[in-house]
Amino acid sequence: NAGVTQTPKFQVLKTGQSMTLQCAQDMNHEYMSWYRQDPGMGLRLIHYSVGAGITDQGEVPNGYNVSRSTTEDFPLRLLSAAPSQTSVYFCASSTGGDGYTFGSGTRLTVV
Amino acid sequence: GEDVEQSLFLSVREGDSSVINCTYTDSSSTYLYWYKQEPGAGLQLLTYIFSNMDMKQDQRLTVLLNKKDKHLSLRIADTQTGDSAIYFCAEIPSGGGADGLTFGKGTHLIIQP
């Protein structure tokens, strides 16, 4: 099992560009979520999904869209990148209480 | 809303025990977690405790939960240089796990030789 796979690992965008961060899991987990990690801020929840076709907003959803067409995939879309979205992004999946499995992260820089 | 608080730094000597503390506000939290993050890496689940437990031990790790004070601690026995990392406390709010985790800001564990 690969666990949670995130691509790309690194990305540089210009302000106003759009892009999609990919996340895939092969553990048949129902729950998936996206976080951003900024220095001194810990991890903050962007969007989450409780199953295919169902998504909801987390703490910091502005500027991001998600969709969940399959159990395995949960892409995060930046519609018009801004410097404030420079961060490290983590995707995670879970079946519930016994812990979330995290991907290795995508380091995004918006210039 | 929910909030999870941790000290930002902890410095210990190699071979001593490290105790990392965390407080949370959601009294209906069902699970509480400790994650470890090494530089440039993702988050590794170290251990977790269910809210009806007071203590959990796993090799060098001991988790203590005081529900009355909403206080969680992680004790690492015989701290080694490989334990140098950021440790995050996290809780599942009352939603039961579907709606993600709430994290503290992380404690940087610094190991002195």
Side-chain angles (χ1 to χ4, degrees):
Chain A
N1 285 352
V4 178
T5 302
Q6 290 185 238
T7 56
K9 292 193 184 304
F10 301 93
Q11 183 71 47
V12 178
L13 288 179
K14 293 183 178 179
T15 297
Q17 286 184 317
S18 62
M19 80 159 293
T20 300
L21 279 63
Q22 302 291 344
C23 176
Q25 52 94 5
D26 61 359
M27 299 172 285
N28 203 32
H29 285 172
E30 292 178 76
Y31 306 151
M32 296 186 75
S33 48
W34 276 102
Y35 301 82
R36 61 177 288 172
Q37 184 179 24
D38 302 297
M41 297 293 291
L43 280 83
R44 292 181 291 170
L45 181 66
I46 304 172
H47 285 284
Y48 64 94
S49 169
V50 302
I54 306 169
T55 64
D56 208 343
Q57 296 181 351
E59 180 186 355
V60 287
N62 292 341
Y64 307 95
N65 274 359
V66 291
S67 60
R68 184 101 178 266
S69 56
T70 66
T71 299
E72 295 78 19
D73 299 297
F74 190 42
L76 178 73
R77 297 183 187 85
L78 280 70
L79 307 172
S80 177
S84 61
Q85 294 178 303
T86 293
S87 189
V88 182
Y89 291 84
F90 289 100
C91 178
S93 73
S94 172
T95 55
D98 57 348
Y100 273 71
T101 300
F102 281 79
S104 57
T106 295
R107 189 174 296 271
L108 176 68
T109 302
V110 182
V111 297
Chain B
E2 300 86 9
D3 204 4
V4 178
E5 301 276 347
Q6 300 178 242
S7 299
L8 288 183
F9 295 96
L10 176 66
S11 178
V12 299
R13 290 190 182 277
E14 189 174 0
D16 287 351
S17 291
S18 306
V19 180
I20 303 170
N21 294 302
C22 169
T23 58
Y24 60 98
T25 56
D26 189 343
S27 59
S28 58
S29 292
T30 52
Y31 288 89
L32 294 137
Y33 303 88
W34 286 104
Y35 280 88
K36 176 184 181 182
Q37 186 181 35
E38 297 183 21
L43 278 79
Q44 172 195 354
L45 178 64
L46 281 180
T47 186
Y48 65 93
I49 189 166
F50 189 52
S51 59
N52 68 353
M53 298 169 67
D54 298 322
M55 186 183 84
K56 182 178 180 182
Q57 187 152 3
D58 184 2
Q59 299 182 337
R60 291 192 298 125
L61 305 178
T62 303
V63 178
L64 295 177
L65 175 61
N66 180 330
K67 282 174 290 190
K68 175 176 171 290
D69 296 334
K70 300 192 188 70
H71 182 266
L72 183 73
S73 67
L74 173 69
R75 178 178 180 268
I76 305 172
D78 188 24
T79 307
Q80 302 298 309
T81 55
D83 296 323
S84 180
I86 304 175
Y87 291 81
F88 291 95
C89 172
E91 64 172 353
I92 286 185
S94 53
D99 49 354
L101 297 169
T102 300
F103 283 87
K105 291 183 170 51
T107 299
H108 294 244
L109 180 61
I110 300 163
I111 316 300
Q112 298 175 354

Short mmCIF file of all heavy atoms in Angstrom, two decimals, chain B residues 43-110:
data_model
loop_
_atom_site.label_atom_id
_atom_site.label_comp_id
_atom_site.label_asym_id
_atom_site.label_seq_id
_atom_site.Cartn_x
_atom_site.Cartn_y
_atom_site.Cartn_z
N LEU B 43 3.59 14.34 8.67
CA LEU B 43 3.24 14.06 10.06
C LEU B 43 3.12 12.56 10.28
O LEU B 43 2.45 11.87 9.51
CB LEU B 43 1.92 14.74 10.42
CG LEU B 43 2.03 16.21 10.81
CD1 LEU B 43 2.14 17.07 9.57
CD2 LEU B 43 0.85 16.62 11.65
N GLN B 44 3.75 12.11 11.34
CA GLN B 44 3.73 10.70 11.68
C GLN B 44 2.90 10.52 12.95
O GLN B 44 3.19 11.16 13.97
CB GLN B 44 5.16 10.21 11.92
CG GLN B 44 5.27 8.80 12.46
CD GLN B 44 6.67 8.54 13.01
OE1 GLN B 44 7.58 9.36 12.89
NE2 GLN B 44 6.85 7.38 13.62
N LEU B 45 1.88 9.68 12.89
CA LEU B 45 1.08 9.41 14.09
C LEU B 45 1.91 8.63 15.08
O LEU B 45 2.37 7.53 14.79
CB LEU B 45 -0.18 8.63 13.72
CG LEU B 45 -1.08 8.24 14.90
CD1 LEU B 45 -1.65 9.49 15.58
CD2 LEU B 45 -2.22 7.33 14.42
N LEU B 46 2.11 9.20 16.27
CA LEU B 46 2.87 8.52 17.33
C LEU B 46 1.98 7.63 18.16
O LEU B 46 2.28 6.46 18.39
CB LEU B 46 3.53 9.54 18.26
CG LEU B 46 4.80 10.22 17.80
CD1 LEU B 46 5.27 11.17 18.89
CD2 LEU B 46 5.87 9.21 17.47
N THR B 47 0.90 8.22 18.65
CA THR B 47 0.00 7.48 19.52
C THR B 47 -1.29 8.28 19.67
O THR B 47 -1.35 9.45 19.29
CB THR B 47 0.66 7.24 20.90
OG1 THR B 47 -0.20 6.38 21.67
CG2 THR B 47 0.90 8.52 21.67
N TYR B 48 -2.30 7.61 20.20
CA TYR B 48 -3.54 8.32 20.46
C TYR B 48 -4.19 7.70 21.69
O TYR B 48 -3.84 6.60 22.13
CB TYR B 48 -4.48 8.26 19.26
CG TYR B 48 -4.98 6.88 18.91
CD1 TYR B 48 -6.19 6.41 19.42
CD2 TYR B 48 -4.26 6.04 18.06
CE1 TYR B 48 -6.66 5.15 19.11
CE2 TYR B 48 -4.72 4.78 17.75
CZ TYR B 48 -5.92 4.34 18.27
OH TYR B 48 -6.39 3.09 17.95
N ILE B 49 -5.15 8.43 22.25
CA ILE B 49 -5.85 7.95 23.42
C ILE B 49 -7.33 8.26 23.27
O ILE B 49 -7.71 9.32 22.78
CB ILE B 49 -5.25 8.58 24.71
CG1 ILE B 49 -5.83 7.91 25.97
CG2 ILE B 49 -5.46 10.08 24.75
CD1 ILE B 49 -5.04 8.24 27.23
N PHE B 50 -8.14 7.31 23.64
CA PHE B 50 -9.58 7.50 23.60
C PHE B 50 -9.99 8.22 24.87
O PHE B 50 -9.37 8.05 25.92
CB PHE B 50 -10.27 6.14 23.47
CG PHE B 50 -11.74 6.22 23.21
CD1 PHE B 50 -12.23 6.98 22.16
CD2 PHE B 50 -12.64 5.52 23.99
CE1 PHE B 50 -13.59 7.05 21.90
CE2 PHE B 50 -14.00 5.59 23.75
CZ PHE B 50 -14.47 6.36 22.71
N SER B 51 -11.05 8.98 24.77
CA SER B 51 -11.41 9.89 25.87
C SER B 51 -11.85 9.17 27.14
O SER B 51 -11.92 9.79 28.20
CB SER B 51 -12.50 10.85 25.42
OG SER B 51 -13.65 10.13 25.01
N ASN B 52 -12.12 7.87 27.08
CA ASN B 52 -12.53 7.16 28.31
C ASN B 52 -11.33 6.51 29.00
O ASN B 52 -11.49 5.73 29.93
CB ASN B 52 -13.61 6.13 28.02
CG ASN B 52 -13.09 4.97 27.19
OD1 ASN B 52 -11.96 5.00 26.72
ND2 ASN B 52 -13.91 3.96 27.00
N MET B 53 -10.11 6.83 28.52
CA MET B 53 -8.89 6.29 29.12
C MET B 53 -8.17 7.41 29.87
O MET B 53 -8.30 8.58 29.54
CB MET B 53 -7.97 5.74 28.03
CG MET B 53 -8.58 4.60 27.24
SD MET B 53 -7.60 4.19 25.77
CE MET B 53 -6.11 3.56 26.52
N ASP B 54 -7.40 7.02 30.88
CA ASP B 54 -6.57 7.97 31.61
C ASP B 54 -5.11 7.92 31.19
O ASP B 54 -4.39 8.90 31.32
CB ASP B 54 -6.64 7.68 33.12
CG ASP B 54 -8.03 7.83 33.66
OD1 ASP B 54 -8.74 8.75 33.21
OD2 ASP B 54 -8.42 7.03 34.52
N MET B 55 -4.68 6.75 30.75
CA MET B 55 -3.27 6.57 30.44
C MET B 55 -3.13 5.52 29.34
O MET B 55 -3.92 4.57 29.25
CB MET B 55 -2.50 6.09 31.67
CG MET B 55 -1.01 6.01 31.47
SD MET B 55 -0.11 5.35 32.88
CE MET B 55 -0.26 3.63 32.59
N LYS B 56 -2.10 5.72 28.53
CA LYS B 56 -1.75 4.72 27.53
C LYS B 56 -0.25 4.68 27.41
O LYS B 56 0.40 5.73 27.33
CB LYS B 56 -2.38 5.08 26.18
CG LYS B 56 -2.09 4.07 25.09
CD LYS B 56 -2.79 4.47 23.81
CE LYS B 56 -2.50 3.46 22.71
NZ LYS B 56 -3.15 3.85 21.43
N GLN B 57 0.32 3.48 27.42
CA GLN B 57 1.78 3.34 27.32
C GLN B 57 2.12 2.52 26.09
O GLN B 57 1.48 1.51 25.79
CB GLN B 57 2.34 2.67 28.56
CG GLN B 57 3.85 2.65 28.61
CD GLN B 57 4.38 2.64 30.03
OE1 GLN B 57 3.62 2.58 30.99
NE2 GLN B 57 5.68 2.71 30.16
N ASP B 58 3.13 2.97 25.37
CA ASP B 58 3.58 2.29 24.16
C ASP B 58 5.08 2.44 24.08
O ASP B 58 5.59 3.46 23.63
CB ASP B 58 2.89 2.89 22.93
CG ASP B 58 3.24 2.16 21.65
OD1 ASP B 58 3.98 1.15 21.71
OD2 ASP B 58 2.76 2.59 20.58
N GLN B 59 5.81 1.44 24.56
CA GLN B 59 7.27 1.44 24.59
C GLN B 59 7.77 2.66 25.35
O GLN B 59 7.49 2.82 26.54
CB GLN B 59 7.83 1.33 23.17
CG GLN B 59 7.40 0.05 22.48
CD GLN B 59 7.97 -0.11 21.09
OE1 GLN B 59 8.35 0.84 20.42
NE2 GLN B 59 8.06 -1.35 20.63
N ARG B 60 8.48 3.59 24.70
CA ARG B 60 9.03 4.73 25.44
C ARG B 60 8.01 5.86 25.63
O ARG B 60 8.32 6.85 26.29
CB ARG B 60 10.25 5.29 24.70
CG ARG B 60 11.47 4.38 24.73
CD ARG B 60 12.71 5.13 24.22
NE ARG B 60 12.61 5.58 22.85
CZ ARG B 60 12.78 6.85 22.47
NH1 ARG B 60 13.04 7.79 23.35
NH2 ARG B 60 12.68 7.16 21.19
N LEU B 61 6.84 5.72 25.05
CA LEU B 61 5.85 6.78 25.09
C LEU B 61 4.77 6.49 26.12
O LEU B 61 4.24 5.37 26.17
CB LEU B 61 5.18 6.93 23.72
CG LEU B 61 6.09 7.15 22.53
CD1 LEU B 61 5.28 7.23 21.25
CD2 LEU B 61 6.93 8.40 22.70
N THR B 62 4.44 7.51 26.92
CA THR B 62 3.32 7.42 27.86
C THR B 62 2.43 8.64 27.66
O THR B 62 2.92 9.78 27.68
CB THR B 62 3.80 7.38 29.32
OG1 THR B 62 4.69 6.28 29.50
CG2 THR B 62 2.62 7.23 30.26
N VAL B 63 1.15 8.39 27.44
CA VAL B 63 0.18 9.47 27.30
C VAL B 63 -0.68 9.49 28.54
O VAL B 63 -1.19 8.46 28.97
CB VAL B 63 -0.69 9.27 26.05
CG1 VAL B 63 -1.72 10.38 25.94
CG2 VAL B 63 0.16 9.20 24.80
N LEU B 64 -0.84 10.68 29.12
CA LEU B 64 -1.72 10.86 30.27
C LEU B 64 -2.83 11.84 29.88
O LEU B 64 -2.56 12.87 29.25
CB LEU B 64 -0.96 11.41 31.47
CG LEU B 64 0.12 10.51 32.07
CD1 LEU B 64 0.84 11.23 33.20
CD2 LEU B 64 -0.50 9.21 32.57
N LEU B 65 -4.05 11.50 30.25
CA LEU B 65 -5.20 12.34 29.94
C LEU B 65 -5.93 12.70 31.23
O LEU B 65 -6.34 11.80 31.98
CB LEU B 65 -6.15 11.63 28.98
CG LEU B 65 -7.46 12.35 28.66
CD1 LEU B 65 -7.19 13.69 28.00
CD2 LEU B 65 -8.35 11.48 27.77
N ASN B 66 -6.09 13.98 31.48
CA ASN B 66 -6.85 14.48 32.61
C ASN B 66 -8.07 15.21 32.03
O ASN B 66 -7.97 16.36 31.60
CB ASN B 66 -6.00 15.43 33.47
CG ASN B 66 -6.76 15.97 34.66
OD1 ASN B 66 -7.97 16.14 34.64
ND2 ASN B 66 -6.04 16.25 35.73
N LYS B 67 -9.20 14.52 31.98
CA LYS B 67 -10.37 15.08 31.33
C LYS B 67 -10.96 16.25 32.10
O LYS B 67 -11.51 17.18 31.52
CB LYS B 67 -11.44 14.00 31.13
CG LYS B 67 -11.14 13.08 29.98
CD LYS B 67 -12.12 11.96 29.92
CE LYS B 67 -11.88 11.02 31.05
NZ LYS B 67 -12.61 9.77 30.97
N LYS B 68 -10.81 16.20 33.42
CA LYS B 68 -11.37 17.28 34.24
C LYS B 68 -10.71 18.60 33.90
O LYS B 68 -11.38 19.63 33.75
CB LYS B 68 -11.19 16.95 35.72
CG LYS B 68 -11.62 18.03 36.69
CD LYS B 68 -11.47 17.53 38.12
CE LYS B 68 -11.69 18.64 39.12
NZ LYS B 68 -10.58 19.63 39.08
N ASP B 69 -9.37 18.56 33.75
CA ASP B 69 -8.62 19.77 33.43
C ASP B 69 -8.41 19.95 31.93
O ASP B 69 -7.75 20.90 31.51
CB ASP B 69 -7.26 19.75 34.13
CG ASP B 69 -7.40 19.77 35.64
OD1 ASP B 69 -8.44 20.27 36.13
OD2 ASP B 69 -6.49 19.29 36.33
N LYS B 70 -8.91 19.00 31.13
CA LYS B 70 -8.71 19.02 29.66
C LYS B 70 -7.21 19.16 29.36
O LYS B 70 -6.79 20.03 28.59
CB LYS B 70 -9.51 20.13 29.00
CG LYS B 70 -11.01 20.03 29.22
CD LYS B 70 -11.75 20.98 28.29
CE LYS B 70 -13.22 21.05 28.59
NZ LYS B 70 -13.54 21.72 29.86
N HIS B 71 -6.42 18.28 29.95
CA HIS B 71 -4.97 18.33 29.83
C HIS B 71 -4.47 16.99 29.34
O HIS B 71 -4.84 15.93 29.86
CB HIS B 71 -4.35 18.67 31.19
CG HIS B 71 -2.87 18.80 31.14
ND1 HIS B 71 -2.03 17.74 31.43
CD2 HIS B 71 -2.07 19.85 30.84
CE1 HIS B 71 -0.78 18.14 31.30
NE2 HIS B 71 -0.78 19.41 30.95
N LEU B 72 -3.61 17.04 28.35
CA LEU B 72 -3.01 15.85 27.74
C LEU B 72 -1.50 16.01 27.79
O LEU B 72 -0.99 17.12 27.60
CB LEU B 72 -3.47 15.74 26.28
CG LEU B 72 -3.01 14.54 25.47
CD1 LEU B 72 -3.75 13.29 25.91
CD2 LEU B 72 -3.25 14.80 23.98
N SER B 73 -0.79 14.94 28.11
CA SER B 73 0.67 15.03 28.08
C SER B 73 1.26 13.80 27.38
O SER B 73 0.66 12.73 27.36
CB SER B 73 1.25 15.15 29.50
OG SER B 73 1.03 13.96 30.23
N LEU B 74 2.44 14.03 26.82
CA LEU B 74 3.21 12.96 26.18
C LEU B 74 4.56 12.90 26.86
O LEU B 74 5.29 13.89 26.86
CB LEU B 74 3.39 13.24 24.69
CG LEU B 74 4.30 12.28 23.94
CD1 LEU B 74 3.67 10.90 23.83
CD2 LEU B 74 4.64 12.82 22.54
N ARG B 75 4.87 11.76 27.44
CA ARG B 75 6.18 11.57 28.06
C ARG B 75 7.00 10.64 27.18
O ARG B 75 6.55 9.54 26.82
CB ARG B 75 6.05 10.98 29.45
CG ARG B 75 7.37 10.71 30.17
CD ARG B 75 7.12 10.17 31.57
NE ARG B 75 8.36 9.89 32.27
CZ ARG B 75 8.96 8.70 32.28
NH1 ARG B 75 8.42 7.69 31.62
NH2 ARG B 75 10.08 8.53 32.94
N ILE B 76 8.21 11.09 26.85
CA ILE B 76 9.15 10.27 26.08
C ILE B 76 10.28 9.90 27.02
O ILE B 76 11.02 10.77 27.49
CB ILE B 76 9.70 11.02 24.86
CG1 ILE B 76 8.56 11.54 23.99
CG2 ILE B 76 10.63 10.11 24.06
CD1 ILE B 76 9.02 12.45 22.86
N ALA B 77 10.40 8.62 27.34
CA ALA B 77 11.48 8.17 28.23
C ALA B 77 12.78 8.05 27.46
O ALA B 77 12.79 7.77 26.25
CB ALA B 77 11.10 6.82 28.84
N ASP B 78 13.92 8.28 28.18
CA ASP B 78 15.24 8.09 27.58
C ASP B 78 15.34 8.81 26.23
O ASP B 78 15.60 8.19 25.19
CB ASP B 78 15.53 6.60 27.43
CG ASP B 78 16.95 6.30 26.99
OD1 ASP B 78 17.84 7.15 27.22
OD2 ASP B 78 17.17 5.23 26.39
N THR B 79 15.14 10.11 26.25
CA THR B 79 15.09 10.89 25.00
C THR B 79 16.39 10.77 24.23
O THR B 79 17.48 10.92 24.78
CB THR B 79 14.80 12.37 25.33
OG1 THR B 79 13.63 12.43 26.15
CG2 THR B 79 14.56 13.15 24.06
N GLN B 80 16.27 10.53 22.93
CA GLN B 80 17.41 10.37 22.04
C GLN B 80 17.45 11.49 21.00
O GLN B 80 16.46 12.17 20.79
CB GLN B 80 17.31 9.01 21.32
CG GLN B 80 17.25 7.82 22.25
CD GLN B 80 18.49 7.70 23.10
OE1 GLN B 80 19.61 7.74 22.58
NE2 GLN B 80 18.32 7.58 24.42
N THR B 81 18.59 11.63 20.33
CA THR B 81 18.71 12.69 19.32
C THR B 81 17.68 12.52 18.20
O THR B 81 17.21 13.48 17.61
CB THR B 81 20.12 12.74 18.72
OG1 THR B 81 20.45 11.44 18.21
CG2 THR B 81 21.13 13.12 19.78
N GLY B 82 17.29 11.28 17.94
CA GLY B 82 16.29 11.03 16.90
C GLY B 82 14.90 11.48 17.29
O GLY B 82 13.99 11.50 16.44
N ASP B 83 14.72 11.85 18.55
CA ASP B 83 13.42 12.36 18.98
C ASP B 83 13.27 13.85 18.70
O ASP B 83 12.19 14.41 18.91
CB ASP B 83 13.23 12.12 20.49
CG ASP B 83 13.18 10.64 20.84
OD1 ASP B 83 12.61 9.86 20.04
OD2 ASP B 83 13.72 10.26 21.90
N SER B 84 14.33 14.49 18.24
CA SER B 84 14.29 15.91 17.93
C SER B 84 13.32 16.14 16.77
O SER B 84 13.49 15.60 15.67
CB SER B 84 15.68 16.39 17.54
OG SER B 84 15.67 17.76 17.23
N ALA B 85 12.26 16.90 17.02
CA ALA B 85 11.18 17.09 16.04
C ALA B 85 10.18 18.08 16.61
O ALA B 85 10.36 18.59 17.72
CB ALA B 85 10.47 15.75 15.75
N ILE B 86 9.13 18.34 15.83
CA ILE B 86 7.99 19.10 16.34
C ILE B 86 6.90 18.10 16.68
O ILE B 86 6.60 17.19 15.88
CB ILE B 86 7.46 20.11 15.30
CG1 ILE B 86 8.56 21.05 14.85
CG2 ILE B 86 6.29 20.91 15.89
CD1 ILE B 86 8.14 21.99 13.72
N TYR B 87 6.31 18.25 17.85
CA TYR B 87 5.25 17.35 18.30
C TYR B 87 3.93 18.11 18.36
O TYR B 87 3.84 19.15 19.01
CB TYR B 87 5.61 16.77 19.68
CG TYR B 87 6.76 15.82 19.60
CD1 TYR B 87 8.07 16.29 19.57
CD2 TYR B 87 6.55 14.45 19.51
CE1 TYR B 87 9.14 15.42 19.46
CE2 TYR B 87 7.62 13.57 19.41
CZ TYR B 87 8.90 14.06 19.38
OH TYR B 87 9.97 13.19 19.27
N PHE B 88 2.95 17.57 17.68
CA PHE B 88 1.64 18.20 17.62
C PHE B 88 0.63 17.40 18.40
O PHE B 88 0.52 16.18 18.24
CB PHE B 88 1.15 18.30 16.17
CG PHE B 88 1.92 19.27 15.32
CD1 PHE B 88 2.96 18.84 14.52
CD2 PHE B 88 1.59 20.62 15.31
CE1 PHE B 88 3.66 19.73 13.72
CE2 PHE B 88 2.28 21.52 14.53
CZ PHE B 88 3.33 21.07 13.74
N CYS B 89 -0.10 18.11 19.22
CA CYS B 89 -1.28 17.57 19.88
C CYS B 89 -2.47 17.87 18.96
O CYS B 89 -2.53 18.93 18.35
CB CYS B 89 -1.43 18.28 21.22
SG CYS B 89 -2.90 17.95 22.14
N ALA B 90 -3.40 16.92 18.85
CA ALA B 90 -4.56 17.15 17.99
C ALA B 90 -5.77 16.45 18.60
O ALA B 90 -5.64 15.43 19.28
CB ALA B 90 -4.31 16.62 16.58
N GLU B 91 -6.93 17.02 18.34
CA GLU B 91 -8.15 16.40 18.84
C GLU B 91 -9.16 16.24 17.71
O GLU B 91 -9.12 16.96 16.72
CB GLU B 91 -8.78 17.26 19.95
CG GLU B 91 -9.25 18.63 19.48
CD GLU B 91 -10.05 19.38 20.52
OE1 GLU B 91 -10.38 18.82 21.58
OE2 GLU B 91 -10.35 20.56 20.26
N ILE B 92 -10.01 15.26 17.90
CA ILE B 92 -11.19 15.17 17.05
C ILE B 92 -12.31 15.85 17.82
O ILE B 92 -12.68 15.41 18.91
CB ILE B 92 -11.56 13.70 16.76
CG1 ILE B 92 -10.58 13.12 15.77
CG2 ILE B 92 -12.98 13.60 16.25
CD1 ILE B 92 -10.93 11.72 15.33
N PRO B 93 -12.84 16.93 17.27
CA PRO B 93 -13.98 17.57 17.94
C PRO B 93 -15.19 16.64 17.94
O PRO B 93 -15.12 15.51 17.46
CB PRO B 93 -14.22 18.82 17.08
CG PRO B 93 -12.98 19.00 16.28
CD PRO B 93 -12.42 17.63 16.07
N SER B 94 -16.27 17.10 18.43
CA SER B 94 -17.42 16.24 18.70
C SER B 94 -18.00 15.60 17.44
O SER B 94 -18.86 14.74 17.54
CB SER B 94 -18.50 17.04 19.43
OG SER B 94 -18.80 18.21 18.70
N GLY B 95 -17.52 15.98 16.27
CA GLY B 95 -18.04 15.39 15.03
C GLY B 95 -17.69 13.94 14.81
O GLY B 95 -18.19 13.32 13.89
N GLY B 96 -16.78 13.39 15.61
CA GLY B 96 -16.52 11.96 15.52
C GLY B 96 -15.46 11.55 14.54
O GLY B 96 -15.28 10.38 14.26
N GLY B 97 -14.73 12.51 13.98
CA GLY B 97 -13.62 12.15 13.11
C GLY B 97 -13.84 12.45 11.66
O GLY B 97 -12.89 12.50 10.89
N ALA B 98 -15.07 12.65 11.26
CA ALA B 98 -15.32 12.89 9.85
C ALA B 98 -14.84 14.26 9.42
O ALA B 98 -14.39 14.43 8.28
CB ALA B 98 -16.82 12.77 9.57
N ASP B 99 -14.92 15.24 10.31
CA ASP B 99 -14.64 16.62 9.91
C ASP B 99 -13.25 17.06 10.33
O ASP B 99 -13.05 18.21 10.67
CB ASP B 99 -15.71 17.57 10.44
CG ASP B 99 -16.01 17.37 11.91
OD1 ASP B 99 -15.47 16.42 12.50
OD2 ASP B 99 -16.80 18.16 12.45
N GLY B 100 -12.29 16.19 10.29
CA GLY B 100 -10.90 16.59 10.42
C GLY B 100 -10.45 16.78 11.86
O GLY B 100 -11.19 16.58 12.81
N LEU B 101 -9.19 17.15 11.98
CA LEU B 101 -8.53 17.32 13.27
C LEU B 101 -8.32 18.79 13.57
O LEU B 101 -8.11 19.59 12.66
CB LEU B 101 -7.17 16.62 13.26
CG LEU B 101 -7.18 15.11 13.06
CD1 LEU B 101 -5.77 14.61 12.81
CD2 LEU B 101 -7.78 14.42 14.26
N THR B 102 -8.30 19.12 14.87
CA THR B 102 -7.89 20.44 15.32
C THR B 102 -6.52 20.28 15.98
O THR B 102 -6.37 19.50 16.92
CB THR B 102 -8.90 21.02 16.32
OG1 THR B 102 -10.17 21.13 15.68
CG2 THR B 102 -8.45 22.39 16.78
N PHE B 103 -5.54 21.02 15.47
CA PHE B 103 -4.16 20.88 15.93
C PHE B 103 -3.74 22.03 16.83
O PHE B 103 -4.19 23.17 16.67
CB PHE B 103 -3.21 20.89 14.73
CG PHE B 103 -3.18 19.61 13.96
CD1 PHE B 103 -4.08 19.37 12.94
CD2 PHE B 103 -2.23 18.64 14.25
CE1 PHE B 103 -4.06 18.19 12.23
CE2 PHE B 103 -2.19 17.45 13.55
CZ PHE B 103 -3.11 17.23 12.54
N GLY B 104 -2.84 21.72 17.76
CA GLY B 104 -2.08 22.76 18.42
C GLY B 104 -1.00 23.28 17.49
O GLY B 104 -0.80 22.73 16.39
N LYS B 105 -0.29 24.31 17.91
CA LYS B 105 0.72 24.92 17.06
C LYS B 105 2.03 24.14 17.05
O LYS B 105 2.92 24.45 16.28
CB LYS B 105 0.98 26.37 17.49
CG LYS B 105 -0.20 27.30 17.20
CD LYS B 105 0.13 28.72 17.59
CE LYS B 105 -0.93 29.70 17.10
NZ LYS B 105 -2.31 29.36 17.43
N GLY B 106 2.14 23.14 17.92
CA GLY B 106 3.32 22.29 17.90
C GLY B 106 4.36 22.70 18.93
O GLY B 106 4.55 23.88 19.20
N THR B 107 5.04 21.71 19.49
CA THR B 107 6.14 21.92 20.44
C THR B 107 7.43 21.43 19.81
O THR B 107 7.53 20.26 19.43
CB THR B 107 5.88 21.17 21.76
OG1 THR B 107 4.69 21.64 22.36
CG2 THR B 107 7.06 21.34 22.72
N HIS B 108 8.41 22.33 19.70
CA HIS B 108 9.71 21.96 19.19
C HIS B 108 10.51 21.30 20.30
O HIS B 108 10.83 21.97 21.31
CB HIS B 108 10.47 23.19 18.68
CG HIS B 108 9.83 23.84 17.49
ND1 HIS B 108 10.46 23.90 16.26
CD2 HIS B 108 8.64 24.43 17.33
CE1 HIS B 108 9.67 24.52 15.40
NE2 HIS B 108 8.56 24.85 16.03
N LEU B 109 10.85 20.05 20.15
CA LEU B 109 11.66 19.34 21.15
C LEU B 109 13.12 19.43 20.74
O LEU B 109 13.50 18.95 19.66
CB LEU B 109 11.23 17.88 21.27
CG LEU B 109 12.00 17.03 22.27
CD1 LEU B 109 11.85 17.60 23.68
CD2 LEU B 109 11.54 15.59 22.23
N ILE B 110 13.93 20.05 21.61
CA ILE B 110 15.35 20.26 21.34
C ILE B 110 16.13 19.37 22.29
O ILE B 110 15.92 19.41 23.51
CB ILE B 110 15.71 21.74 21.56
CG1 ILE B 110 14.88 22.62 20.61
CG2 ILE B 110 17.21 21.97 21.34
CD1 ILE B 110 14.84 24.08 21.01
#
